[in-house]
Amino acid sequence: MASNVEIPRAAEIGVRVRREGRFRAGQRLSTFGLVGPTVIALAIFFLAPLWYIFEFSTGQKWVAPNDAAALISGELTSISGALWSDFFGDGVIIELMPNLGDQGAAHVTVPAALIGLLFVVLILAAVMGRRLVPRYGGRVVGFSFVALLVPFMTLPAGDHILRLVQLSSESTDLRLFFKSVSMATTSSVIAVLIAFPVAYYLAFCVTKSKYTWLLIVITPFLTSYLLRIFAWKVVLGDQGLINSGLASLGVISADAPLTFLIYNQFTVMIVLTYAWVPFICLPIFIALENMDRRLLEAATDLGASRLRAFAKVTLPLAAPGVVAAFLFVFIPSIGEYITPSLVGGTKGYMFGQAIADHFIGGAFDWQGGSVLALFLLTVVLFLTAATSKFLRAGGGTA
Amino acid sequence: MDNGPFMNRRGFFTASGGISIAALLAACGGDSGSDTPAPASTPEPAASAAATTAPPAVATPKFDPASETGEIKIFEWAGYEVPEMWDSYLKGPYNATSPLKFTFLENDQQALAKVASGVQYDLIHPCVAYWPDYKAAGLIQAFDPSLLPDYEGIPAPVRAGGVDADGLIYHVPFDVGFSTLVYRADKVDPAELSWNVLQDAKHKGRMSLFSDDVSIIKIGHLINAGVPVNPNVMTSEEIAASMETMKKVAPNLRNFWGSQTDTVNDFVNGNIDITYAWPDGYWKIKNHEKMAGVPIEYMWPREGRLAWVCGLVLGSQAAAPGRATAAVAASNTPAVGAWLTDVYQYGSAQQNGVTDLIKDKALLTAFSLDDPTAFAPPRAWFEEPLPNRAEYVKAGQEVKASAGA
């Protein structure tokens, strides 16, 4: 038998190796052809500006190339550790029921680093709880989520915003940051809560033309964002649609409109929620649509109620979509600039506006603005990295 | 494994990482030597351009527009690009070969940052407080006064703000105007005709101010003084005191507006009763159909109004500085000054016979354009270059951030 086996000659082997080598080189070239432009664009338009911002924030490496650039470089002669120190302040004040009075029901001041560490631990526990504590992992995850969300969740309360727990600081910028986190968290959670049923209905209940319906859901995106914000001003103004409607129904007096509808944090959250709900239907819908329906049948066959099947099967499998949806709202919202500028009023001023004011204000404090921008970026990057496990299919079940 | 047709993940990331770093280094290449200060003997383009094109310290520049070519790039406020403002230049001999090309600025800060970042313009329209920044950065050059025949028609006190210590003209004033409160006279007590009305809790949530940080601090100073006092020469202590006052004022405000159109809309739609506005804003509110029958007034606070002067500066690298100056001269005529008031309700820096040319005489009374005392202290505080502007700005930002935090 062995004598029948053809042994390739050395020359043929050489040809094959060269051919394969060329093939692989060609494939590598096509890989870079496909992805390379994006990578290069990212490097030039994202990483390079980021590097400049980092240099601005440190204040150590930047030397203005000319007098004109020095004008906008701010005071870059000193090491900016002091700026970071100013930003974090002396400590974080935790207030319980802050709406009860100046300092709320109770308050305590703790070092900012400790609060930062606590958040890192809570986020990691929320992500890795099941792996770290096998038996009580579910409770650890649940507790961590609640502990992360509760301090930042808000409820509208007349002209004010009601918080059960509020993080505050002597540092104005850090206080603004906590407020922005709070507004972004509330908007994100509410947007997800609104978008989930819509996506669920489209995925499970609509049988015909579901993609047409999906297109209809995202129709608001066909109009300009600015236009939609101005539409809200028309709706929420003191003589706007809601107030005029209520006045004509006799519910309120025309002379005493509901003033809390516009120019406060509540308005910003309404607009942010509205703006993102159609968009985040998409990731949730895709997660639900790709779910293996036989798992639900199996759960039912094994005696699970519809609610239990939803909690134990549907929700964990939809987790990647839900987390993606949350991040899609949270990340742009926390650094929002245009929405609070237009409908936020004095109370709705957010962290993104503070960053912009540093850069474009008459002081040209690019160093201070860079410190704030870098801090925001760090928080967002950490959050995204920590929750990236959920973004993978089935990640929520781990 | 590396058997697939495509390279594996590690290989791809290694290669793409290399490309990213290379691109990053290329993008930051100009800055690679920034660890050490740039040697003084190798000035960068803007500085060297200023050194070569700007005249000696006290020599008056001389331009020859007839021998120049090239278009005139103008960084201008929207609304000032209309032919009426440049009429005599457009009808003159240079327009054919040196047409005017406009780009629009949003505010002084943005304009300065953009020009400082390297974008070249031949003419820019900053307000008087900002031209020294342009000059310090080597971004502008002095005008040739022989090409500005109507310059003397600008009152000397207004002209003075645009002239440097050597007597060279860097800023040719064009538009002047008040910045004060527009209010509903049926809601505000005549005894409250003061900036202090902003502290009155009776108007809480019904007032609005411009988001400009410097203006916020100036207003706080006038409130603290309670009498006319120059808000352009504040000490650090006065700025801090003003900031504290404005932190108390801020909760009474409904918003800080960024665009005057927004606050005009808020006013006529009943969201506010008192707002900071420029003359055209006041005029739009007063004459808006929704305000028919509502008494709208432009406040003359007992501490004095704030006021501004804006004008044109000449880019240090202007290809045709003489022709650019000719364009400035065209905008500096009495006819354009009258047009400015008739159309935009702004005062004209050019005063020579302007009041006679203004068609709508009601504007003369409404804005006291025929009253010389109206545009001088203690009734109005024109803006001036502020050596300590950064202090004003940081305090103003603190006010806005505190109100929202």
Side-chain angles (χ1 to χ4, degrees), chain B residues 205-265:
Chain B
R206 305 293 302 166
M207 301 183 286
S208 178
L209 281 182
F210 183 27
S211 62
D212 175 59
D213 302 307
V214 173
S215 303
I216 290 170
I217 295 305
K218 285 182 177 178
I219 291 168
H221 188 52
L222 292 172
I223 291 175
N224 284 346
V227 292
V229 57
N230 187 355
N232 296 303
V233 287
M234 292 169 65
T235 64
S236 299
E237 290 74 24
E238 286 168 335
I239 289 172
S242 167
M243 180 179 77
E244 292 307 321
T245 299
M246 293 310 285
K247 279 184 179 178
K248 292 174 194 156
V249 164
N252 288 344
L253 304 177
R254 197 138 198 208
N255 61 10
F256 286 106
W257 57 262
S259 155
Q260 187 176 250
T261 307
D262 287 345
T263 203
V264 168
N265 284 330

Side-chain angles (χ1 to χ4, degrees), chain A residues 24 27-28 31-32 35 39-40 43 47-48 51-52 55 61 63 65-68 71-72 172 175-176 179 230 237-239 259 262-263 342 345-347 349 357-358 360-365, chain B residues 2-3 5-7 12 15-16 19-20 23-24 27-28 31 34-35 44 109 112-113 116 130 137 139 206 250 253-256 262 266 269-271 389 393 397-398 400-405:
Chain A
R24 290 194 177 188
Q27 292 298 341
R28 285 200 184 98
T31 303
F32 277 116
V35 190
V39 172
I40 292 169
L47 294 178
W51 178 253
Y52 271 110
E55 283 203 325
K61 295 184 73 178
V63 175
N66 54 40
D67 291 346
L71 189 72
I72 58 173
T172 308
R175 205 159 65 235
L176 266 182
K179 191 184 84 170
F230 280 112
D238 284 359
Q239 294 177 3
T259 55
I262 196 164
Y263 293 130
L342 290 176
T346 48
K347 295 173 187 167
Y349 190 86
D357 270 352
H358 277 80
I360 62 176
F364 301 106
D365 183 11
Chain B
D2 192 20
N3 294 333
F6 292 89
M7 73 177 65
F12 175 75
S16 56
I19 288 181
S20 303
L24 192 58
C28 302
D31 196 34
S34 62
D35 285 323
E44 293 292 327
Q109 297 87 345
L112 178 57
Y130 280 82
L139 297 167
R206 305 293 302 166
L253 304 177
R254 197 138 198 208
N255 61 10
F256 286 106
D262 287 345
D266 274 336
N269 286 313
N271 291 336
R389 188 178 63 225
V393 170
Q397 287 175 352
E398 178 75 17
K400 287 188 288 186
S402 297

Side-chain angles (χ1 to χ4, degrees), chain A residues 281-294:
Chain A
C281 281
L282 282 173
I284 302 175
F285 170 79
I286 290 166
L288 292 171
E289 182 71 359
N290 291 336
M291 213 179 94
D292 187 346
R293 311 297 166 90
R294 290 173 303 178

